[in-house]
Amino acid sequence: MFEPLPNNPSFPALEGKVLSRWKEGDVYEKSLQNRKDAERFVFYEGPPTANGMPHPGHCLTRSIKDLFPRYKTMQGFLCERKAGWDTHGLPVEVEVCKELGIHSKEEIEEYGVEPFIHRCQESVWRYMQEWEALTERLGFWANLDEAYVTYHQSYVESVWWSLKNLFDRGLLYRGHKIVWWWAQGGTALSAGEVGQGYREVADPSVFVEFPLRDQQEESLLIWTTTPWTLPSNQFAAVHVDLTYARVRDGETGRVLIVAESLVEKLAAQFKRELTVESTCSGSELLGLRYDPPFDYFYKNLGDNTGELIKGGKQVHQWRVVAADFVTTDSGTGLVHMAPAFGEADYDVLVAEQERFQEGEGPQLICAVGPDGKFTEVAGPYAGRWVKEADKDISRELRERGRLVLLDQYLHDYPFCWRADDDPLIQYPRESWFIRTTEFREDMLANNQQINWLPGHIKDGRFGNFLDSNVDWALSRERFWGTPLPVWVCSETGRMEAIGSYQELLDKAGLDGVQVWEKAKAENPELSDHLKVHKPYIDALTYASPFAEAGRMERVSEVIDCWYDSGAMPFAQWGYPHSHAEQFKQQFPADFISEALDQTRGWFYSQLAISTMLFGEHGAEQEAGAEYPHPYRNCIVLGLMLGEDGRKMSKSKRNYREPNEIFDKYGADALRWYFFANQAPWTPIRYKEQSIKESIPEFLLRLWNVFSFFTIYANIDGFAPEELLSGDAGELSADDLATASSYREVAERGELDRWVLSELHRTIEDVVSRMDHYDNYGAALALNEFVDALSNWYVRRSRDRFWAAEKQNAEKLDAYWTLYECLVTLAKAIAPFVPFLSDYMWQTLAGVFGERVPESVHLCNYPAVVNKLKDEELSVRMATLREIASLGRSARMNEKLKVRQPLQKVEVVLGDETYKPWLESHDALLREELNVKQIEYVTEADQYIDYLIQPNFKRLGPRVGKLIPQVKAVLAEANGAELLAQFDADGVVTIEVGGEPVILDNEDIQVRLQAKDGWAAAQGKNSVVVLNTELTEELIREGYARDLIRMIQDRRKELDCDFTDRISVALETDSLVLKETLAQHGDVVAAETLADNLVIGSLNAECVARNIAEADVQLYVAVNSSLE
RNA sequence: GCUCUUUUAGCUUAAUUGGUUAAAGCGUUGGUCUUAUGAGCCAAAGAUUGGGAGUUCAAGUCUCCCAGAGAGCACCA
């Protein structure tokens, strides 16, 4: 006996039961154990950060990340799923700062680096429980107990090893560059991080005059959106090929120099008359000296000169120089250059420096400190945050008459990705870089081999990103991160990189270990992993191998946390210091998946590091791994949008919490919604309503079939566990075939053969799609099968299940067929909806006890049984279903209810291929349409017109431009006659534009068109015509069915069990109803399990009904249950 | 500015890869079937396939231009 199912399933409750069974039975562990010697399917988990709450987007990634490993495991692969946590970096530090109510780097230092680090380490696990709960609740199977953690010593040491490798190969270098600088945080950010923080803001837009030194009434006019950079101005740049104009300002009478082509535009913008006085080329302006807007540096350095390499002297700065990047797209055609705050500006300075003899050139001018505030040199602005000083600078310039226009300018500007109120500034800084640009070609080659889904990522977004690769700004002047493992000699400045903690301990003259030991002694709770972190690691110094008196001291920086996650393919194993074997077995990954925002995050960091270490030009001993690595297939998920179609955001609260969804609808519902609603890379609109709607369509429909089966199997005592002895395997077709009463499928009825064929066709389709990472297509195929199973197979088999004779072979066939469908389906849907599938398995297969696997997730994915597939039957049945549908449609048009039997329908087929089959299998159709007779007619001219159209695909290439005429000729011709001609000769010749065109059968397509005046419905391939004539006999039969329906409804109202026997009586004046009862009473009684059915009354509640346009008093009493 | 994606019924999506009545689901309305069903079935209403041009016998599909949306890159002097 199958465990009876609840009437109204609560999926969340059911999932809870399944979860606890998984836990108690160690099912996940067993699923791996089962495959311990199998070929591997390698999955990498992109580590999330656990110091923020998980949200619906994480549910999507985790669902996809679970689906394919489950599928591959069932397909026979060993797929370990090592979880991981990203624990370093700004996100963590920022969280801790918020907690402490501090913000700037100085404040952290005041608070103390040591306690700060401790708090960071604790904070990392803040939402751990929520993450683990979500992971489990969603059914994401992963090895959480052995998760890799980026701050753990072994992980850090792996990262060190890789950095040492790069350092030793000259790929890790310290450089002076203009970097994007987070002033409040006191650190540079990488291109990737900067890119995440762009936001549209309105900045000031100022036009400023730089008066010519020797011509004070004339000015260079420049434009900037960063007035705060003006005090650090060093040059004005022009393009030598542009034409410039001297224009008279109608308002001030002064002369401005601007690009000629911009005069009109500027005049309009300034709302002033600008009269061109003369023009000259850019090259003529070169060398002109001007007064910078502020004299903080000018007053001392204004006349400084230096010796040029080519001979002669030149003034250092505040003169016009040439630069190619100057355009007239915006501004004035003259550009203010503050080399401290722009990469292009800086390049100009370097180029200028190179014109001078060594040490003779201009030096960088910078009026701003690393804290983003003006330094002492900037007079009244000293100590002020630059962005905040913009206004006053503009005001001062206006007062001094240097400002032509102050406006607003709307543009995107980067902010710190983790402190989004802090705008970044460009700033000159010494920083560590990885020479990724040297590997650009290698990375591109590697990328070409990756199977990206969707495909356009490869040459689109990701390829473009690689194309514009810049060296990776690796270092962070921060605290909580992997320390940069470079030690510098205090005497010579020479450096070396360290690859492990032990390597340090082995250094001669090591000192500083006591700092850690002391801290640990004072606080034994301290995690040992902290010893490789700041500040403890900074304390370690050793004797310099480069100078006798020298000490080796670590540089102060930590590294970009994106490097941590990118090192995950080897660092998760502590490679090469430990687990080298695991690394080799699990490299590269077969499958990874994250959202689109990881293109320059994890997708890039992994690819870059792997290419540099293991690629064609990687380190010698490791090099040469075949591309692609470290991942072969990558599903790039679309961004998830909130209920309103906008970006999901905590502050807008435009989404439901995952837990709310789990509690209301369950994890399967959410998963199925993700898998079956759209290709995973399209942006997903996360709406509660849509999740809700995905339930009835699939889960509930499946549940109903499942429930139907258990109800009837229990009633009839269908017990497969008794019919099948010995080991039951995994209840595959072969296993079931050994059961008694299980008939060879070939011997069963059409419907059984059909549904099993559909089942195996579906599985074949699903496997092929899943092997190509197409979960959407696979889910659609499964959905379609469940629909067919529920709405055609079960519906049309109902009579067999309801038949009284329990050992009837056809009835048993129905049970075996449906049972086989359900257990196979449970396996097929297991990776998608792991809970419901396992619940089905436990119920359906559970009756076998130990003789079958305890969980569906320990089974193999169902194999396609080719001999059960019958493509032809599939097409035939589809035709049959279409005819049934047309029949119903025709009935509706005539307002002939399905319960009213009809004598005959005639079916006209456009294509008669299946006519013989249809004729011999029309019982099903007769019943479905409730007619006595079905006739397939060939000569149907009276009912229909034949519309003949050319087969465009075939004829198009042949007749080309004549096609419209061919179409017209065929349309005008008598279709029936043409067809007759085809039948007779096989070809037909028509005259088109004076030329004969010979057409054969395949050159045309026939459409049927029902003629007016018939109760007919037409489809693509057939027309169904009803015989609407009703006899008394037919009408009485219809009433009998009405009576059955009326009594069944009453049974339902009375909450009868399926097997309850009843007594029925009814009172009516209707003669025809009385006749009906006399004639069909037996059938009515049998159908409704009535022991007696009489005209009259009963000792039971009386209800009023209306049948056959007559009033009826109905009495129904329950007798007893059938034993 | 450049690149990628995208635009089809009120909403969500389809259209055999260029083949001729643009198809479903949800929702709405009406009808119907059913002792598994919250399901199903039948139908009505709902479309100038974002706009425009071009190529072609034939364009939702290919090309170009324009517009909207989303994202990325760069710049923002």
Side-chain angles (χ1 to χ4, degrees), chain A residues 644-871:
Chain A
D644 51 0
R646 314 191 57 131
K647 235 184 184 172
M648 224 173 235
S649 97
K650 256 182 207 164
S651 54
K652 278 193 222 127
R653 299 185 149 269
N654 58 349
Y655 64 88
R656 310 265 96 182
E657 290 294 337
N659 279 328
E660 208 181 318
I661 299 293
F662 292 146
D663 293 345
K664 265 192 187 160
Y665 311 107
D668 279 342
L670 184 61
R671 291 172 63 118
W672 188 255
Y673 165 70
F674 288 145
F675 299 146
N677 259 285
Q678 63 278 302
W681 41 83
T682 48
I684 295 179
R685 185 103 155 252
Y686 178 83
K687 283 167 76 177
E688 182 180 1
Q689 187 61 23
S690 322
I691 298 164
K692 195 176 162 187
E693 280 164 9
S694 77
I695 296 176
E697 182 178 90
F698 180 74
L699 295 177
L700 201 57
R701 201 145 55 177
L702 178 57
W703 175 269
N704 287 328
V705 179
F706 170 46
S707 164
F708 174 89
F709 173 82
T710 56
I711 289 168
Y712 284 91
N714 284 343
I715 288 175
D716 283 332
F718 175 74
E721 75 277 17
E722 289 166 14
L723 299 167
L724 174 56
S725 56
D727 184 18
E730 294 180 357
L731 303 179
S732 68
D734 286 345
D735 298 321
L736 297 178
T738 63
S740 62
S741 86
Y742 181 97
R743 284 210 295 181
E744 189 77 22
V745 174
E747 293 169 21
R748 298 185 207 173
E750 204 87 56
L751 199 59
D752 293 347
R753 282 190 279 129
W754 169 76
V755 79
L756 288 170
S757 165
E758 291 303 299
L759 175 69
H760 285 275
R761 276 160 35 92
T762 301
I763 287 166
E764 186 173 45
D765 193 19
V766 169
V767 165
S768 143
R769 289 176 184 277
M770 287 298 282
D771 285 346
H772 290 92
Y773 297 94
D774 174 14
N775 55 277
Y776 178 47
L780 290 186
L782 288 166
N783 195 27
E784 207 168 302
F785 176 73
V786 170
D787 177 58
L789 184 66
S790 169
N791 293 319
W792 194 248
Y793 180 75
V794 171
R795 176 186 161 83
R796 291 311 337 143
S797 300
R798 191 176 252 143
D799 281 355
R800 285 193 286 164
F801 288 107
W802 196 228
E805 193 195 333
K806 294 195 176 182
Q807 291 308 314
N808 177 294
E810 288 185 358
K811 177 168 185 154
L812 286 166
D813 283 347
Y815 276 119
W816 279 117
T817 304
L818 186 52
Y819 186 67
E820 185 168 341
C821 283
L822 285 171
V823 291
T824 310
L825 195 54
K827 289 188 267 186
I829 61 172
F832 297 84
V833 283
F835 298 99
L836 177 59
S837 57
D838 213 16
Y839 191 85
M840 284 173 65
W841 180 263
Q842 312 263 2
T843 307
L844 296 170
V847 292
F848 283 91
E850 307 270 301
R851 291 151 66 197
V852 297
E854 63 178 288
S855 163
V856 72
H857 302 291
L858 301 177
C859 294
N860 289 306
Y861 203 75
V864 178
V865 180
N866 280 312
K867 66 172 186 200
L868 294 182
K869 284 188 338 194
D870 187 339
E871 300 292 335

Side-chain angles (χ1 to χ4, degrees), chain A residues 377 383 442 565 1106:
Chain A
V377 73
D442 286 14
S565 58
N1106 190 294

Side-chain angles (χ1 to χ4, degrees), chain A residues 79 201 329 338 551 640 742 921 957 1034:
Chain A
C79 179
V201 286
D329 294 344
R551 293 294 297 172
M640 191 174 278
Y742 181 97
H921 294 88
L1034 288 171

Side-chain angles (χ1 to χ4, degrees), chain A residues 93-107:
Chain A
E93 292 195 23
V94 168
E95 273 302 305
V96 171
C97 282
K98 273 185 197 156
E99 231 173 88
L100 294 172
I102 59 178
H103 191 61
S104 75
K105 202 169 157 186
E106 289 77 21
E107 286 171 310

Side-chain angles (χ1 to χ4, degrees), chain A residues 891-908:
Chain A
R891 289 189 85 110
M892 294 295 171
N893 288 337
E894 297 300 311
K895 305 236 182 291
L896 288 166
K897 299 199 292 187
V898 177
R899 252 180 256 139
Q900 175 60 60
L902 296 177
Q903 187 52 45
K904 186 168 92 171
V905 302
E906 290 174 272
V907 178
V908 186

Side-chain angles (χ1 to χ4, degrees), chain A residues 1046-1056 1101 1103 1105 1114:
Chain A
M1046 174 184 76
I1047 297 166
Q1048 301 288 35
D1049 274 345
R1050 185 64 188 146
R1051 282 185 66 112
K1052 208 170 195 177
E1053 275 173 23
L1054 293 171
D1055 220 6
C1056 287
E1101 191 188 344
V1103 289
R1105 291 288 186 268
L1114 174 68

